Amino acid sequence: MATLSDAIRVASGKGKADLLIRNGRLVNVFSGQIERTDVAVWNGIIIGLGDYEARKVIDIEGSFLCPGLIDGHVHIESSMVTIPEFARAVVPHGTTTVVADPHEIANVLGSRGIRFMAESAGEFPSTSSS
């Protein structure tokens, strides 16, 4: 089991990351700058930026890296598609999280509509093109 000590060891460069994403253009959402850097991933989390040893290296050849975007207010039911279909449309464009306000479906269908939205939110669609 991975510990905080293990994470600190890898982050400080004294251990290998699982993955190094090399030659990326990182969108820094705090500064608004685009930075050329490598991104190290260990145990499923970003552990550091810069030069790291890693078990696997992927060269993204200058492609952009950006944190997942959050849509802070959306009425999914107004899109006229189900939650899985909505996800198929927005995830490829970088939206990974939404704050959904389902009052419109509640106005029309009451608790049945809310239940439908909650149940369909548990379906995770494939966003692949296959």
Side-chain angles (χ1 to χ4, degrees):
M1 182 171 166
T3 66
L4 179 58
S5 295
D6 294 330
I8 292 169
R9 183 176 49 77
V10 174
S12 66
K14 296 177 181 154
K16 281 190 175 186
D18 298 325
L19 172 67
L20 185 65
I21 303 169
R22 181 164 282 154
N23 295 320
R25 289 186 284 174
L26 178 68
V27 178
N28 184 324
V29 296
F30 295 109
S31 70
Q33 301 295 311
I34 296 174
E35 305 168 14
R36 287 197 172 267
T37 191
D38 298 339
V39 177
V41 179
W42 175 82
N43 202 34
I45 61 170
I46 294 173
I47 201 77
L49 305 176
D51 191 27
Y52 281 84
E53 294 285 325
R55 290 175 184 79
K56 181 177 180 181
V57 177
I58 298 174
D59 188 337
I60 63 170
E61 302 174 354
S63 292
F64 287 93
L65 293 168
C66 182
L69 305 174
I70 300 171
D71 185 332
H73 184 143
V74 65
H75 299 270
I76 295 173
E77 66 274 28
S78 294
S79 70
M80 303 296 286
V81 297
T82 62
I83 291 175
E85 283 302 314
F86 183 83
R88 277 189 194 88
V90 301
V91 168
H93 298 284
T95 300
T96 60
T97 305
V98 298
V99 179
D101 180 354
H103 78 81
E104 293 173 6
I105 200 164
N107 289 346
V108 175
L109 295 175
S111 62
R112 277 189 8 232
I114 298 296
R115 198 170 303 106
F116 168 78
M117 294 294 280
E119 289 170 0
S120 70
E123 301 171 23
F124 293 98
S126 168
T127 56
S128 69
S129 58
S130 57

